[in-house]
Amino acid sequence: MRQNPIERHFVNTYQETWETRSSIRTRPRKYIDFKENGYFFPEKKQPLLLNQEIVNLGEKIKEEILLQTFYKYLNDIINLEIKLINSACTRVIYSDLVVKYPEAIKLNACTIIIDEYYHVYVAKDMLLQLDQHYPDLKKVDYPVSDAYHAVTLIKGQLDKKYHEIFEIIAVCIFETTLVRELVEFFNSDDIHPSIRYYINDHMNDESKHYGFFFDLLSYTWQKMPDDYKKSIGEHFSDFIKLYLNINSEKKFNKDLLNDILKDEKKSISIVEDIYKGFDITPDIPIVKNVFNVLKKSSLDKDKYIKESFKKIEWNL
């Protein structure tokens, strides 16, 4: 068979993988089969179910808590992928930045935007299916994610000239430090089959995105002028701690529990007790994920990043 001229002159491995494996190119619409049994969210990933008093409320309450948590999960996807990930990729493609990206990187960023908008479409589609099946389910407020809050707060501490590059760096960190065990939890036997299928499809894309964003992180940091490295690097540890915070999760769980118990004081007390003693420290798995990415990309050797972590007494 005659080889396509494009293949001879332009080989883009990431693009070829995307063409053959991305969900939007290869998968049908995601339907929730409500005749099937199973939870909509892993109970081991919902801290409220660590409290025996809540567990004693019965199976129906447990199902409601996990359903509401899945709603939050879908809403987080919609907001994070539109407000941050696609925004960063758009900057890579179109902005006149101090880092000049090759056309191949810009092309691959286009595939990320396509994937992420598809993820938003699927999440919205599933929310509509859930709304139709559970018309009486009370809606709760979904607080701003800690990831989005972290980006906003650090940008407020940086000179405006550094904002776009910082946003790209931040998204690279998000997309390379996914909690991989989430897939394992969703693959447990008690998860609804339609949700298990959906999560695995989503993570199929995210596993490819990891490679793109890891390379983008390394390339961006390598090509940044020293003043950018200094300004962004000095805030690196603060950004990581803010990004990995659980304030958003705690607020959601307080509001959700209060909606169930109709007792705000008790709800706050239970949630505070569940999270008592939790802190972002270097020995928790997600922080280790961050450190691994920094080491693999050699960012751990950057003097400004090293000094930033030294200030909070974390050793890279």
Side-chain angles (χ1 to χ4, degrees):
M1 182 181 293
R2 187 179 178 184
Q3 191 179 29
N4 189 313
I6 293 177
E7 294 174 354
R8 291 201 304 269
H9 300 296
F10 182 77
V11 177
N12 184 331
T13 304
Y14 185 89
Q15 180 190 15
E16 291 176 355
T17 303
W18 180 78
E19 289 283 357
T20 56
R21 286 183 50 198
S22 66
S23 296
I24 193 171
R25 303 284 280 173
T26 61
R27 301 292 198 275
R29 182 186 175 192
K30 307 292 187 298
Y31 289 101
I32 301 175
D33 185 352
F34 291 103
K35 296 189 295 295
E36 295 273 7
N37 295 318
Y39 298 125
F40 286 93
F41 196 83
E43 57 181 303
K44 290 182 180 179
K45 295 296 291 180
Q46 174 40 278
L48 289 179
L49 297 176
L50 294 172
N51 181 276
Q52 192 57 47
E53 185 176 352
I54 297 174
V55 174
N56 291 342
L57 294 174
E59 182 66 17
K60 187 175 180 181
I61 294 297
K62 177 181 176 180
E63 290 175 356
E64 180 181 346
I65 288 172
L66 293 175
L67 176 59
Q68 290 280 18
T69 308
F70 186 56
Y71 264 83
K72 180 183 183 298
Y73 175 81
L74 293 174
N75 275 278
D76 283 347
I77 287 173
I78 292 167
N79 286 297
L80 184 64
E81 300 197 343
I82 288 179
K83 291 181 179 178
L84 289 178
I85 300 172
N86 282 355
S87 173
C89 287
T90 300
R91 297 187 192 287
V92 168
I93 298 166
Y94 297 113
S95 291
D96 183 16
L97 301 171
V98 67
V99 176
K100 305 303 178 186
Y101 294 103
E103 289 303 315
I105 288 181
K106 293 182 179 182
L107 184 66
N108 293 343
C110 290
T111 72
I112 300 292
I113 291 175
I114 294 168
D115 284 346
E116 300 297 17
Y117 266 108
Y118 175 65
H119 295 163
V120 169
Y121 160 77
V122 172
K124 284 181 173 289
D125 186 21
M126 297 192 87
L127 284 170
L128 287 173
Q129 292 179 55
L130 291 167
D131 285 343
Q132 290 172 0
H133 192 76
Y134 299 102
D136 298 325
L137 185 71
K138 185 175 179 180
K139 296 295 187 294
V140 297
D141 291 331
Y142 303 107
V144 173
S145 70
D146 288 302
Y148 186 77
H149 176 70
V151 171
T152 303
L153 198 64
I154 297 300
K155 281 172 71 174
Q157 298 172 22
L158 291 170
D159 188 282
K160 191 174 181 179
K161 69 180 276 190
Y162 304 118
H163 285 189
E164 290 185 303
I165 290 293
F166 168 69
E167 188 178 311
I168 291 169
I169 294 292
V171 167
C172 288
I173 296 296
F174 298 155
E175 290 288 275
T176 53
T177 55
L178 293 170
V179 184
R180 300 290 179 178
E181 60 267 24
L182 186 64
V183 182
E184 296 176 16
F185 283 116
F186 270 106
N187 276 333
S188 60
D189 292 338
D190 58 356
I191 294 295
H192 192 289
S194 299
I195 306 308
R196 191 161 57 236
Y197 173 69
Y198 156 66
I199 293 295
N200 277 284
D201 253 15
H202 190 154
M203 290 303 157
N204 168 60
D205 286 341
E206 294 301 336
S207 65
K208 297 193 303 297
H209 294 182
Y210 176 98
F212 170 79
F213 282 105
F214 178 83
D215 291 343
L216 185 65
L217 175 65
S218 302
Y219 183 89
T220 303
W221 198 268
Q222 184 183 60
K223 300 295 183 180
M224 281 163 50
D226 190 69
D227 65 309
Y228 278 73
K229 292 179 181 178
K230 182 177 187 298
S231 294
I232 295 173
E234 287 175 346
H235 291 85
F236 222 88
S237 62
D238 290 337
F239 165 67
I240 296 301
K241 291 198 77 172
L242 286 167
Y243 150 52
L244 298 178
N245 220 321
I246 55 170
N247 291 334
S248 175
E249 179 183 302
K250 284 176 66 176
K251 185 179 186 313
F252 168 76
N253 282 333
K254 286 176 184 177
D255 292 344
L256 175 58
L257 193 56
N258 183 45
D259 188 58
I260 292 169
L261 300 179
K262 311 299 182 188
D263 187 332
E264 184 176 8
K265 186 176 180 180
K266 186 175 184 179
S267 299
I268 292 173
S269 175
I270 289 174
V271 171
E272 289 299 333
D273 184 63
I274 289 172
Y275 289 95
K276 184 171 60 179
F278 177 82
D279 192 17
I280 305 298
T281 60
D283 58 339
I284 64 175
I286 187 66
V287 174
K288 291 180 179 179
N289 287 350
V290 173
F291 281 4
N292 285 336
V293 168
L294 295 181
K295 288 174 183 176
K296 286 168 63 179
S297 61
S298 296
L299 265 69
D300 66 318
K301 295 180 174 61
D302 182 89
K303 60 183 178 181
Y304 303 117
I305 291 178
K306 287 173 70 174
E307 185 61 29
S308 176
F309 281 106
K310 186 178 178 181
K311 286 179 181 177
I312 62 170
E313 299 182 339
W314 284 13
N315 294 317
L316 279 175

